Amino acid sequence: MRPGVKLLLTTTMFWAMPALAQQAPTALSGNPAVATPAKWPAAKSQGLIDAQTEKKVSDLLAQMSVEEKVGQMIQADIASIKPEDLRRYPLGSILAGGNSPPLAGDDRAGQAEWVATARAFRAIAQEQRPGHVPIPLMFGVDAVHGNNNVIGATIFPHNVALGAANDPALIRRIGAATAAETAAAGIDWAFGPTLAVPQDDRWGRTYEGYSEDPAIVRRYAGEMIRGLQGEPNTTDRIQKGKVAASAKHFLADGGTFNGIDQGDARVSEAELIKTHNAGYPGAVNAGTLTVMSSFSSWNGAKMHGNKSLLTGVLKDRMGFQGFIVGDWNGHGQIPGCTNTDCAATFNAGLDMAMAPDSWKGLYDSTLAHVRDGSLPMARVDDAVRRILRVKAKMGLFAAERPFEGKPGVLGAPEHRAVAREAVAKSLVLLKNNGVLPVKASARVLVAGPGADSMMLQTGGWTLSWQGDGNGNELFPNGETIFSGIRKAVEAGGGTATYSPDGNFTAQPDVAIVVFGEQPYAEMRGDVRTLEFQPGDKQALALLKRYKDAGVPVVSVFLSGRPLWVNPELNASDAFVAAWLPGSEGAGVADVLIGNAAGKARRDFTGRLSYSWPKTAAQFNLNKGKPGYNPLFPLGYGLSYAKPGKVAKLSEVSGIDPSMANTSTFFAKGAAPAPFSLATDSRITRRPVDGPQTQEGALQLTWPSGPATLRIGGGNLDLVRESNADLSLQISYKLDRAATGSAKLLMEGGTNTGAIDATSLFTGQTGTWRTANIALKCYQTNGVDLTKVTAPFVVQASGPLTVSIADIRIVSAPATAMCPGAK
């Protein structure tokens, strides 16, 4: 979990996978989770150590109490700490997770609210008071494709797109623009770049990686670091619109078994070095000030506790002189540790623990470990020295911050121009049967859910953690793909019409259909197959409608990874992989729309940095690996200068579509496969209209006496979802309130963990309502969440009549509850 205070609907619950989906572990010998540093490439931090800085740090260390030293090693999330708490707990850092709002309380806030929050925390940290050494805080955010937390910021294409651009110099310019817009919001630390080398595209963070090819990641790593931080010897960085970078996630987050987020990379040390360490030597040599440890494990050993990697490899062999920060309560996943107690992570080499909501307990326990000697003072001094060194190198001890609050920086025209260029360079043309470029003098119909949606084109990690719920009005400095197309077409004398439902009256010359994945981030983004829209072919139906009407079709596909889209490719005259292009939709029009005569204004230069699957079962599709047989190989991409045709493709996915559903238990009046709904014979059921869909709900009537409703199927492991504060969401309507008791249960293991839910089934009738039951409620009541076979069970003593429209796993931080809890 990256910083994201609360979490959203997830598709990460993995059941037993069929043989074709299994990634065979590499044969290993000896201790497979202990690295041999001498085998690793050498590197050396640049520009971090000098005599003046080290003297300043030594002087501070000599003045600091052990309490203040321990405080420097702990980071809290702003949703769980107030500025005044710093007087009792002298922490060294704060962060704003993906859903964490500034102090004003709006997580979709603008520059002023973020600046005010940063200043409020800094003011307390740097107070002059007895027994306190004023030391500035570091304020970190996931600025992973621009300063994506702040309204008005330029949102750049996600890394999956930037890899296709294959332009290291562009990466540095993006880093510089991101740094300026981050510093202008009062923030001094960006949690990026992600240097993962994704090997299984089912992983929900695939779009955060530049490529499956370690060579591309290697070329990009240092460039993004230099863009964010400036050259290694830059002084007073924050004053110059630079921020600290954090190369992440060390190590092999992109190599987990079956692509499971926070999973286990079952690879040899040689593979760990060759593939997954590709970007880190360059990042260290470029002077990265921080490195973030990964949630994941290497051959069963959690990275947060792997001393051979954190200390032996990263600090000793690769000469990293900045500090290592943890990920969101990642230390609590080490065996023997909890979120509030983990000396082992610091002893392994972690310097700052990200303890978003556990900071108070972790501070107290860490202080106790120092006092009893289980955490040596020498290790504490080393960690704090590294942290203070970085703060000094950032210029945080100086009072002046000329970029902070500076108007005109967020969404600056020059930054938007870089983003637009990045969009154009990242587009990959997969198919073109002569329909592109589109004449600007043509009658153009634009359709599809992504055509006029900033939410779909920006994706996850945008204004919120998962990137959903974002209307176009939240992007005052952005432009949708349709808007960009309309301007380009109208400039050439043509017309461009947007049709939300895809209908038209006058026959267009061409239809441009923009569609793709809904926004997601880690956990929610994990999938079990690579089929696009399994079992729900709305986009395909739209393409076929135009095809049948004789309208040439251009598909613009928005996605965070390559997906199996053979049916959509067959139904398209041209197909463009546009990835997640960010806020500058006009970059798409720059390449697709020609001049009035149809001559290209700009050619396609993007090339696949991920191999494109031939079937939905090609999960581990990486050039140079056994069985490599893609539809489009790494490096593929057509252009106007060098066209090529695509023959009709097989539309057999090679996988059962029901495999993809692991989070929706009831929708559209039925339990979707592989789940099924069953009731006692005494319960009657009939279809009724849902809140938005005709016959989209099911009405169930309990007679007098107890009866049970059960939705089951498969074997779910919901532990990570519980740790991430996810909820079971029920959309329902009481038609007749319960007169007896009602209980919610989850079946699996030995304890069903009944929750008294009577309050949910009493009260007002006749109106649709939503209840969000925290998964932790079930866990607290004894449910073994590793073995859930029936995620939704209601036992009630009637009479009771209830209509159910939807049941699924979501994030609902503001409304999550435990019914019946005292």
Side-chain angles (χ1 to χ4, degrees):
M1 212 186 324
R2 281 278 342 108
V5 171
K6 310 293 180 188
L7 314 163
L8 276 160
L9 180 150
T10 176
T11 55
T12 61
M13 295 154 276
F14 279 72
W15 305 342
M17 304 294 289
L20 58 84
Q22 293 293 331
Q23 169 188 341
T26 305
L28 305 168
S29 60
N31 189 328
V34 176
T36 305
K39 295 180 179 179
W40 293 66
K44 183 70 173 178
S45 285
Q46 303 297 315
L48 267 74
I49 290 184
D50 62 76
Q52 183 178 358
T53 300
E54 296 308 300
K55 182 181 185 305
K56 178 181 181 67
V57 170
S58 295
D59 290 345
L60 287 170
L61 282 169
Q63 301 172 52
M64 294 170 69
S65 65
V66 64
E67 290 83 1
E68 291 194 313
K69 290 178 179 179
V70 167
Q72 288 295 308
M73 299 167 66
I74 295 174
Q75 181 183 59
D77 184 87
I78 59 174
S80 301
I81 189 172
K82 297 181 174 66
E84 52 267 29
D85 290 332
L86 295 174
R87 294 193 178 101
R88 167 68 178 83
Y89 297 91
L91 305 190
S93 177
I94 54 171
L95 80 149
N99 288 340
S100 298
L103 292 176
D106 180 5
D107 70 337
R108 289 166 171 81
Q111 180 181 14
E113 292 86 349
W114 286 101
V115 168
T117 296
R119 289 175 175 171
F121 279 98
R122 283 206 308 269
I124 303 297
Q126 296 184 256
E127 278 181 343
Q128 296 287 344
R129 56 182 186 269
H132 174 61
V133 180
I135 294 174
L137 290 167
M138 280 189 73
F139 188 176
V141 297
D142 283 273
V144 295
H145 63 141
N147 189 14
N148 44 261
N149 288 274
V150 181
I151 297 289
T154 305
I155 307 299
F156 293 92
H158 268 297
N159 288 352
V160 65
L162 299 182
N166 201 15
D167 187 341
L170 174 65
I171 299 305
R172 188 186 294 208
R173 289 190 286 139
I174 290 172
T178 299
E181 298 200 12
T182 304
I187 298 161
D188 27 61
W189 186 7
F191 296 141
T194 298
L195 300 181
V197 187
Q199 299 295 286
D200 188 322
D201 295 338
R202 291 173 296 176
W203 186 40
R205 306 193 75 159
T206 294
Y207 67 77
E208 296 186 51
Y210 295 117
S211 178
E212 73 187 42
D213 181 3
I216 293 176
V217 178
R218 187 179 298 114
R219 288 197 296 272
Y220 276 14
E223 294 304 314
M224 182 57 82
I225 298 293
R226 288 181 171 89
L228 290 168
Q229 296 187 167
E231 291 296 331
N233 289 308
T234 302
T235 58
D236 299 326
R237 300 173 199 241
I238 197 65
Q239 288 75 22
K240 296 171 181 173
K242 298 297 181 181
V243 296
S246 189
K248 67 181 189 183
H249 306 88
F250 192 81
L251 189 63
D253 49 340
T256 59
F257 182 63
N258 282 333
I260 299 174
D261 191 48
Q262 303 184 24
D264 186 26
R266 303 176 185 178
V267 300
S268 67
E269 186 171 8
E271 180 68 11
L272 196 66
I273 297 169
K274 177 183 177 183
T275 299
H276 300 289
N277 189 53
Y280 288 94
V284 171
N285 287 335
T288 187
L289 294 171
T290 75
V291 171
M292 183 177 290
S293 181
S294 177
F295 273 121
S296 58
S297 303
W298 175 40
N299 294 324
K302 283 289 180 181
M303 292 291 175
H304 273 67
N306 195 319
K307 186 173 183 177
S308 70
L309 286 170
L310 297 183
T311 299
V313 169
L314 183 56
K315 290 182 174 179
D316 295 341
R317 177 63 175 170
M318 290 203 287
F320 175 58
Q321 296 166 341
F323 71 83
I324 303 174
V325 64
D327 208 339
W328 191 274
N329 279 330
H331 57 275
Q333 298 184 11
I334 299 171
C337 287
T338 66
N339 290 352
T340 56
D341 190 347
C342 192
T345 196
F346 297 116
N347 283 325
L350 200 79
D351 301 303
M352 180 184 289
M354 187 183 289
D357 53 0
S358 57
W359 54 271
K360 189 177 295 184
L362 188 63
Y363 174 88
D364 291 337
S365 68
T366 303
L367 192 58
H369 286 303
V370 176
R371 287 170 172 160
D372 69 19
S374 53
L375 177 56
M377 197 66 209
R379 173 76 270 270
V380 171
D381 283 341
D382 173 59
V384 178
R385 175 174 290 278
R386 289 169 175 271
I387 294 166
L388 297 182
R389 177 186 295 150
V390 167
K391 291 182 176 182
K393 286 297 179 181
M394 280 299 303
L396 301 187
F397 285 90
E400 302 79 14
R401 283 182 174 241
F403 262 77
E404 184 172 277
K406 185 176 180 180
V409 177
L410 272 74
E414 60 270 26
H415 298 163
R416 293 188 62 187
V418 174
R420 183 170 176 171
E421 176 188 348
V423 174
K425 286 183 172 179
S426 66
L427 301 177
V428 180
L429 181 61
L430 299 182
K431 177 182 179 179
N432 184 19
N433 290 346
V435 68
L436 289 177
V438 172
K439 289 183 180 181
S441 56
R443 295 186 306 275
V444 180
L445 177 70
V446 183
D452 198 38
S453 171
M454 295 298 293
M455 180 179 74
L456 265 65
Q457 72 187 52
T458 54
W461 286 116
T462 307
L463 301 184
S464 65
W465 180 41
Q466 296 287 336
D468 54 2
N470 294 328
N472 290 352
E473 73 281 358
L474 297 177
F475 299 86
N477 296 322
E479 185 169 26
T480 67
I481 292 171
F482 166 66
S483 175
I485 290 173
R486 181 183 58 194
K487 288 180 180 178
V489 170
E490 291 178 350
T495 60
T497 304
Y498 174 55
S499 175
D501 59 7
N503 293 331
F504 61 88
T505 51
Q507 180 96 347
D509 296 320
V510 64
I512 300 176
V513 183
V514 188
F515 62 97
E517 293 185 288
Q518 292 294 315
Y520 58 82
E522 61 199 281
M523 297 184 65
R524 170 179 169 177
D526 286 6
V527 293
R528 301 177 71 232
T529 88
L530 294 182
E531 181 176 1
F532 172 63
Q533 286 190 337
D536 183 5
K537 299 295 184 181
Q538 295 183 43
L540 180 60
L542 186 59
L543 299 178
K544 287 183 174 180
R545 192 201 312 174
Y546 295 138
K547 198 79 168 175
D548 292 343
V551 178
V553 181
V554 177
S555 287
V556 178
F557 188 53
L558 305 176
S559 73
R561 54 192 146 207
L563 290 170
W564 185 77
V565 287
N566 285 15
E568 290 80 7
L569 276 159
N570 285 337
S572 305
D573 296 290
F575 196 99
V576 178
W579 314 109
L580 298 171
S583 58
E584 296 306 312
V588 175
D590 290 341
V591 186
L592 269 62
I593 309 300
N595 62 18
K599 183 178 180 181
R601 296 182 298 142
R602 181 170 193 151
D603 204 350
F604 286 90
T605 58
R607 301 294 180 263
L608 291 179
S609 61
Y610 289 85
S611 304
W612 201 278
K614 185 175 289 186
T615 76
Q618 289 180 307
F619 309 142
N620 306 108
L621 186 63
N622 304 295
K623 187 175 181 179
K625 299 297 175 67
Y628 185 68
N629 183 28
L631 177 61
F632 303 121
L634 185 78
Y636 175 89
L638 303 177
S639 68
Y640 299 138
K642 294 183 179 180
K645 290 194 174 182
V646 177
K648 184 174 175 60
L649 303 170
S650 167
E651 297 191 6
V652 178
S653 70
I655 206 154
D656 181 353
S658 70
M659 283 183 58
N661 177 32
T662 56
S663 65
T664 300
F665 310 132
F666 190 87
K668 300 179 181 178
F675 301 103
S676 60
L677 182 148
T679 62
D680 292 351
S681 60
R682 295 184 301 279
I683 296 177
T684 61
R685 20 177 172 160
R686 70 181 184 92
V688 294
D689 291 346
Q692 297 176 328
T693 309
Q694 184 177 5
E695 294 197 359
L698 187 67
Q699 187 183 75
L700 302 114
T701 299
W702 271 255
S704 297
T708 301
L709 158 69
R710 177 181 290 100
I711 296 178
N715 293 285
L716 297 173
D717 182 348
L718 300 179
V719 170
R720 289 183 307 145
E721 286 69 25
S722 174
N723 292 340
D725 295 335
L726 294 183
S727 298
L728 180 73
Q729 183 180 84
I730 313 165
S731 175
Y732 68 108
K733 175 168 62 76
L734 285 180
D735 301 300
R736 180 179 181 180
T739 56
S741 65
K743 297 179 180 178
L744 286 177
L745 307 91
M746 281 189 181
E747 294 181 352
T750 58
N751 192 333
T752 56
I755 295 173
D756 183 357
T758 305
S759 62
L760 300 182
F761 296 97
T762 56
Q764 185 178 4
T765 61
T767 58
W768 288 98
R769 60 173 83 173
T770 298
N772 298 304
I773 317 303
L775 293 179
K776 286 183 177 176
C777 303
Y778 293 97
Q779 195 170 40
T780 300
N781 283 15
V783 174
D784 182 355
L785 291 180
T786 66
K787 300 174 181 177
V788 176
T789 56
F792 184 75
V793 180
V794 179
Q795 289 181 349
S797 56
L800 163 67
T801 302
V802 60
S803 297
I804 297 177
D806 194 89
I807 305 169
R808 65 182 67 219
I809 302 290
V810 302
S811 168
T815 57
M817 62 177 175
C818 285
K822 296 179 179 179

